[in-house]
Amino acid sequence: SNWSACTVQCGNGTRTRHISQVATNGGKDCTGPPTEICIITTCTATHLSALGATAKQNGDFAGRPATLAIDGSPTTVTGQSLHPGSTCAATILSTNPWLQIDLKAVYLVSRVRAI
């Protein structure tokens, strides 16, 4: 059969298949591994919190903690100002603001959006 879906939506998992082809005309039965490793590298913020990722920043601004950066909620931004209903994380005003996200594993990160 075809390979099943990966057991995870982000990170390392496994997928399986069933081999049930019987040989004909004197050939050999089909063989192969019933399980293989799959690696999903297109992770979204929705998956980050499920993976146990953590986030912290130099201080919360307007009640917007660092955990909002990995909660998977969509953001609403107008221009350079955060919309009142925004789900973005926001740091306190400082000359050296920072946000740290620990993914708990090694991943290839292709995009980070900071506003």
Side-chain angles (χ1 to χ4, degrees), residues 13-94:
T14 58
R15 60 185 190 164
T16 59
R17 67 179 175 177
H18 300 284
I19 301 171
S20 59
Q21 182 66 39
V22 178
T24 58
N25 299 323
K28 294 184 178 181
D29 290 344
C30 290
T31 61
T35 304
E36 74 175 7
I37 295 171
C38 53
I39 302 171
I40 308 297
T41 58
T42 53
C43 305
T44 66
T46 303
H47 303 120
L48 293 179
S49 57
L51 287 173
T54 58
K56 56 186 176 180
Q57 60 194 17
N58 64 311
D60 299 348
F61 176 75
R64 296 188 178 112
T67 53
L68 292 176
I70 59 170
D71 70 350
S73 298
T75 58
T76 53
V77 177
T78 56
Q80 295 297 322
S81 302
L82 292 174
H83 186 275
S86 176
T87 57
C88 296
T91 65
I92 59 173
L93 297 176
S94 74

